[in-house]
Amino acid sequence: MKVIPGSAPASGLVGMTAARVYTAQPQPLPSGLWQVLTFEGQAFDSRAFHDPHASPGQLTVPAGAGGLYQIGGFASFVGDPAGRRLLAVLVNDEPVAYASAAGMPNGATAHVNASTVTLLSDGDRVALAALQDSGFPLTLNAPGDSPGAALWLARLPG
């Protein structure tokens, strides 16, 4: 799936509590180590969940915005046939959802998506971590994939 970053129309966010951040910059991933991804772009952010300067790798639930949320993320990995590609959605540094894909042929792209529904409290931190175990460094954000990774959350009504 190719996702094109953009701005949601302001009228589409009225009454919503949601954010979506993304990166279009390649991020090197060492083999065998989990790495929290960082995000420099914002498609939308209705309540200042994301501070790209102080906390580029997380969304923080602002005061008064706790509730039931759908949260998720995706990442695009440069293809290599060796190893696996793993993604974890984290809440307060603990995994709440995982997804994985096998290695892909050179020149192909491994897309991994993870999502869940969970209760978030004021001040909770949501992040996205990636791991690849090919045996050598790989890059997140395959050429031509923009964004290479995204993280989002949306409070469900009720």
Side-chain angles (χ1 to χ4, degrees), residues 20-31:
R20 181 178 179 274
V21 294
Y22 61 90
T23 182
Q25 301 299 316
Q27 292 188 39
L29 295 175
S31 181

Side-chain angles (χ1 to χ4, degrees), residues 4-149:
I4 307 300
S7 297
S11 62
L13 292 179
V14 173
M16 289 188 66
T17 301
R20 181 178 179 274
V21 294
Y22 61 90
T23 182
Q25 301 299 316
Q27 292 188 39
L29 295 175
S31 181
L33 298 172
W34 283 100
Q35 180 170 313
V36 173
L37 305 179
T38 58
F39 303 96
E40 72 277 353
Q42 296 178 355
F44 55 87
D45 187 349
S46 70
R47 295 280 309 270
F49 287 92
H50 187 236
D51 183 339
H53 304 292
S55 302
Q58 69 186 32
L59 300 174
T60 302
V61 178
L68 188 63
Y69 280 80
Q70 180 172 3
I71 57 177
F74 79 88
S76 298
F77 295 84
V78 171
D80 184 273
R84 301 165 297 157
R85 312 300 175 258
L86 299 143
L87 201 60
V89 175
L90 310 173
V91 174
N92 298 326
D93 303 321
E94 295 295 325
V96 295
Y98 286 102
S100 66
M104 300 291 287
N106 288 330
T109 302
H111 299 286
V112 184
N113 299 278
S115 64
T116 191
V117 173
T118 193
L119 188 61
L120 296 176
S121 299
D122 295 359
D124 279 351
R125 300 173 328 277
V126 178
L128 192 63
L131 177 136
Q132 61 86 17
D133 61 2
S134 67
F136 50 89
L138 289 179
T139 301
L140 180 73
N141 188 22
D145 287 326
S146 181

